[in-house]
Every structure is written in C-alpha cells, then in structure tokens.
Amino acid sequence: RELFARAEDRFVVKLETALGGLRETSRVQVSLWGRGPAVYLLHGWGGRASQWISFIEPLVAAGLTAVVLDAPGHGDSPAPRTSILHFAAALAAVVDSVGPARGVVGHSLGGDACALALNRGLDAKSAVLIGTPADPVQFFHGFLEHLGVDERLHGFIRADVERRYGFRWADLAVRAPTVHRAVPALVVHDRTDAEVGYDDAGRIVRAWPSSTLLTTQGLGHQRILRDRTVVQNVVSFLATSSR
C-alpha cells in the first residue's frame, strides 16, 4: 500500500458504456509508475489494482511504465454494474487516455477481459494471461453452482445476461486476436490452481498460436502473482516481445 501511495501519478478516467442499450457513466481509478513503454495490468473478479504490487518495481527497472487500474465496481472504481465487458471497456479507455500498450497483463477473468479487448480492436505488442479461464461461460456456470442455483435455471440465466448486456457468451472464449497483427502471448498457470483448472491453459494455447505456456507448481490462483520467478519471467517477456 505504501508503494501505491507513492505512485508517480494517480488519476481517474471517465468510462462511458452502452451495454444492452443501457448507458452508464463510471470512473476508473488508475495508478502509474515509470516513463517507458506502457504495460497495463488488469486484476480479476473480486480483485483490485494492489494485487499487482510485486510487478511494479521490476517493470519500472526494465524501462517500462506500469499502469494499473481498479476495474469498474472494484477497489476505488465504483460503478452501477460490472462484467467482463465493463472490464474490457475500462482497459480500452485507460489505454486511450495514457498511450499505446507495449503489453497487457490480466489475471483470472481480467485475462479474459484483456483478450476480449484485443479482439475488439485494442492494439498491444504482447499479452500475458495468468490463471485465466479459457471460456468464461464455464466459470459462470461454476459461480452459479457455488451460489446454489438449480442447474435447470443456468441456461435461462445465461440467456438473460446475454440479453441484458447485448453480447454472446461464445464471443468471450479466449482466442488470438485477429484485428491487428499476431500478438505473442505468455500463458501462466499453476497446476494446483483450485479456481481455474490447469487444463484451461492448454485450451488457451491451442486457440492462440503465437503463445507460450509457463507452468508453475504449488502457487495456486493467488500466490502466483507474488512469486519472484513468475514476475521475472513476465517482465522479461514484456520487455523483449515485439521491440
């Protein structure tokens, strides 16, 4: 938290969305360190920007700018609604405000949002997906099960969410972006991840031809963000990809 208090710049980006025909305005809190090419870091569902604290100083030391944001409805970014769609829109809005992306890094559902933003036109030289579900519809199914929702209602709920937010679940599955040039990706996943199964990493790699898999053991879904070796590998990949 002390490092976040000493951010070189802290500011708010206005986000306007029109999902499912409902127009909303929210504010996205952004913190920034460094003066090199920008790397944008997006946390997952229920997370916040401070989860990236282990990455900030190594990114700056590598000559990069670390840009972290609290996604809508998380941390210091209050919002009336939030979803993967809002996450992706927030990322795109922050890039528009700060400048071109050397890379984007997403954890868990933040990785899905990064992939969605890239497929919707966001330009980045590289991407890192850490503990990311290959298909959020399966993650959503597990979320409903966790809430105790009768499985017979899952299909109706998914259809209602599609209608309300104006999207198709099939479009959220992680795949290589085709809007711009091929984007190299580093997929990082722990074999013992209890929240997002390790098999998801293989599915992402198969759907993203210019990707590389980095496997860890014993770090789970959260500690992977604090592991020194993971941080070093991610920073090295971002610093050298597509210079």
Side-chain angles (χ1 to χ4, degrees):
R1 290 189 178 276
E2 181 182 348
L3 180 59
F4 267 70
R6 293 187 285 106
E8 294 181 20
D9 197 3
R10 281 176 60 85
F11 54 95
V12 170
V13 172
K14 183 179 179 181
L15 175 64
E16 295 183 347
T17 56
L19 302 174
L22 180 61
R23 294 187 176 275
E24 297 173 336
T25 300
S26 57
R27 296 162 63 84
V28 179
Q29 179 67 52
V30 183
S31 299
L32 180 153
W33 296 259
R35 289 294 181 265
V39 171
Y40 296 83
L41 302 107
L42 182 58
H43 62 77
W45 195 263
R48 61 184 304 144
S50 58
Q51 289 179 285
W52 297 110
I53 194 164
S54 297
F55 286 80
I56 293 169
E57 290 181 336
L59 284 169
V60 174
L64 301 168
T65 295
V67 185
V68 298
L69 60 142
D70 280 324
H74 292 71
D76 294 325
S77 299
R81 293 193 300 174
T82 192
S83 67
I84 294 175
L85 305 173
H86 291 84
F87 274 45
L91 175 62
V94 173
V95 173
D96 284 344
S97 177
V98 176
R102 161 62 69 86
V104 294
V105 185
H107 175 236
S108 196
L109 287 177
D112 292 283
C114 287
L116 178 61
L118 291 169
N119 273 287
R120 291 189 166 184
L122 179 67
D123 192 11
K125 294 184 181 297
S126 58
V128 179
L129 308 179
I130 304 174
T132 296
D135 188 351
V137 70
Q138 293 186 343
F139 194 89
F140 186 66
H141 177 78
F143 174 70
L144 294 177
E145 285 186 333
H146 178 73
L147 293 178
V149 177
D150 192 315
E151 188 173 357
R152 292 172 295 181
L153 299 176
H154 289 192
F156 296 104
I157 294 173
R158 289 197 302 269
D160 181 63
V161 172
E162 280 187 328
R163 179 184 59 81
R164 288 178 181 272
Y165 287 88
F167 76 103
R168 297 189 312 152
W169 283 103
D171 294 337
L172 301 186
V174 176
R175 64 188 187 281
T178 57
V179 178
H180 299 289
R181 64 190 178 283
V183 177
L186 178 65
V187 179
V188 187
H189 215 113
D190 192 81
R191 289 187 182 276
T192 63
D193 191 325
E195 295 186 40
V196 181
Y198 178 71
D199 288 348
D200 281 43
R203 293 170 59 192
I204 291 174
V205 169
R206 288 191 293 274
W208 201 308
S210 57
S211 65
T212 302
L213 175 60
L214 172 63
T215 297
T216 63
Q217 180 70 39
L219 297 176
H221 192 64
Q222 299 294 343
R223 286 194 298 121
I224 197 169
L225 296 179
R226 302 188 298 274
D227 181 77
R228 180 173 298 181
T229 300
V230 169
V231 173
Q232 290 174 343
N233 277 278
V234 168
V235 172
S236 176
F237 173 79
L238 293 165
T240 58
S241 292
S242 302
R243 272 184 169 167

